Amino acid sequence: MIIILKSGVGESDPEYHSLIGYLEAKPGIEVRRHQEHGAQETITELYLIGDTAALDADEIAGEPAVERVVRVSDRYRLLGRHRGQLEPTGFDYNGLHFGQDTFHLFAGLCAVDNPANTERMMAALREQGLQATRMGAYKPRTSPYDFQGHGAECLPYVFELAGKYGIRVVAMEVTEARHLEEIATELDRAGSPTGVMVQVGTRNAQNFELLKEVGAQTRFPVLYKRGFGITLEESLNACEYIAASGNRNIVFCLRGVKSHMGAPHRNLVDFAHVPVVKRLTRLPVCVDPSHSVGNRERAPDGLLEVQHAAAQGVIAGANMVLADFHPEPERALVDGPQALHLEELPYFRQDLAIIEEAYRRRVQLAADMPRPRPGTEGPPPRDT
């Protein structure tokens, strides 16, 4: 059960204390407080954990602090939309807002190789007015003989350069719990010149102990990448592990699924699931066209295939794009064949801006569209 408080009701208000006292008197009920930050207001929600079936929803709704009460299904208890739950959602982190109505481009190095290329990447981002990037320090690889990333060794110069060039958030994968400690330590040592969004998955998409560790810390938001060989439902339940451990600041990333049906692309692009995730949950949704396509081939229309894939995600409402760039892709230590050149960054960014504007026009068109009343749609047309 979720209790949504009236706007403006806070922990210092007597109505709030009255409600909490009422709930704490109920046996076997745990109360968890959470705030959803929208563009216009912040909404406080109380999640009741335990045997809530016997609770009288109407009685609770009569409390002065309560706006309404929502019965919750077992599916995606913390992250899901329950019975048409449409309250604004999202989170702020280091000066950027992430929600289902925002958009960010995280362009950067799939794997950090050296300070010089890192600086060239950061400088290119600043030239385009971008404040977020991806920087791989820890790289899980299929072969034990492939480059595994520089790890903690590269963190000092990555964080220093991010601060120098005004990068507010660096998306960085972690593969074990100690990486969280290393990132926090080096970030503190550098004076916190930037922020980090820790990435987990796709190979660790169901590493439940790691998911719990990532969720137990609330300093860093989490970018969860869908497992390439599991269902969408399984991936969303993995996000529930993170949320249930305490961290609700999650972005869900689609990156293609492993299937020979996607050939010649690296993975079968799954970006049609963008609106599905936004319908089932209140999570911001990211797409990773670089790892979906896995090449930098150009279509006959002059656009790169990775641009077409990115457009599929954005036109469907994606709130974030994760894309591989490199100053010299042919010399990249990881995934060079799919990385775009820095000279292509301004065109990639402008192309996404065109698609984002088209999406917003679609949303406006949908808002003006008449909606049939339930039960008045009529039978489906017969085949002729």
Side-chain angles (χ1 to χ4, degrees), residues 244-309:
S245 297
N247 194 337
R248 295 275 299 275
N249 294 343
I250 304 169
V251 177
F252 187 90
C253 182
L254 297 163
R255 43 85 64 213
V257 293
K258 190 68 75 176
S259 168
H260 69 280
M261 299 296 288
H265 289 165
R266 183 175 178 178
N267 293 287
L268 182 63
V269 180
D270 56 351
F271 296 170
H273 277 161
V274 169
V276 178
V277 177
K278 294 175 78 169
R279 172 172 56 84
L280 295 176
T281 78
R282 294 188 289 172
L283 296 174
V285 183
C286 172
V287 294
D288 183 343
S290 299
H291 284 78
S292 296
V293 173
N295 67 46
R296 45 169 296 101
E297 297 296 330
R298 195 176 297 277
D301 58 15
L303 290 162
L304 297 167
E305 290 181 11
V306 71
Q307 286 182 274
H308 279 295

Side-chain angles (χ1 to χ4, degrees), residues 154-329:
C154 71
L155 297 181
Y157 65 78
V158 169
F159 295 156
E160 177 187 353
L161 291 169
K164 177 181 177 179
Y165 288 96
I167 305 302
R168 292 186 174 274
V169 182
V170 178
M172 183 173 291
E173 185 170 7
V174 296
T175 61
E176 52 183 302
R178 68 177 177 87
H179 295 160
L180 295 167
E181 299 175 6
E182 291 176 356
I183 290 172
T185 297
E186 294 302 331
L187 199 57
D188 289 340
R189 186 172 292 150
S192 298
T194 187
V196 173
M197 179 179 288
V198 295
Q199 173 188 318
V200 62
T202 179
R203 286 176 171 83
N204 281 303
Q206 287 187 304
N207 183 342
F208 298 118
E209 295 308 312
L210 178 60
L211 295 177
K212 292 175 186 177
E213 293 284 351
V214 168
Q217 62 80 38
T218 55
R219 177 175 179 178
F220 306 119
V222 181
L223 175 64
Y224 176 87
K225 296 190 78 172
R226 176 184 182 174
F228 53 58
I230 63 176
T231 66
L232 182 65
E233 182 176 5
E234 289 169 327
S235 292
L236 290 173
N237 273 316
C239 288
E240 280 283 312
Y241 267 90
I242 298 171
S245 297
N247 194 337
R248 295 275 299 275
N249 294 343
I250 304 169
V251 177
F252 187 90
C253 182
L254 297 163
R255 43 85 64 213
V257 293
K258 190 68 75 176
S259 168
H260 69 280
M261 299 296 288
H265 289 165
R266 183 175 178 178
N267 293 287
L268 182 63
V269 180
D270 56 351
F271 296 170
H273 277 161
V274 169
V276 178
V277 177
K278 294 175 78 169
R279 172 172 56 84
L280 295 176
T281 78
R282 294 188 289 172
L283 296 174
V285 183
C286 172
V287 294
D288 183 343
S290 299
H291 284 78
S292 296
V293 173
N295 67 46
R296 45 169 296 101
E297 297 296 330
R298 195 176 297 277
D301 58 15
L303 290 162
L304 297 167
E305 290 181 11
V306 71
Q307 286 182 274
H308 279 295
Q312 291 176 36
V314 176
I315 201 66
N319 309 110
M320 176 172 155
V321 171
L322 205 63
D324 285 2
F325 282 81
H326 196 281
E328 300 177 84

Side-chain angles (χ1 to χ4, degrees), residues 62-95:
E63 286 286 314
V66 177
E67 176 68 30
R68 64 191 179 97
V69 177
V70 179
R71 287 283 185 184
V72 177
S73 65
D74 289 338
R75 198 180 192 193
Y76 319 135
R77 290 190 181 187
L78 297 179
L79 302 175
R81 289 186 184 275
H82 303 288
R83 296 193 180 183
Q85 198 172 11
L86 299 175
E87 285 77 20
T89 185
F91 61 91
D92 295 304
Y93 178 65
N94 205 34

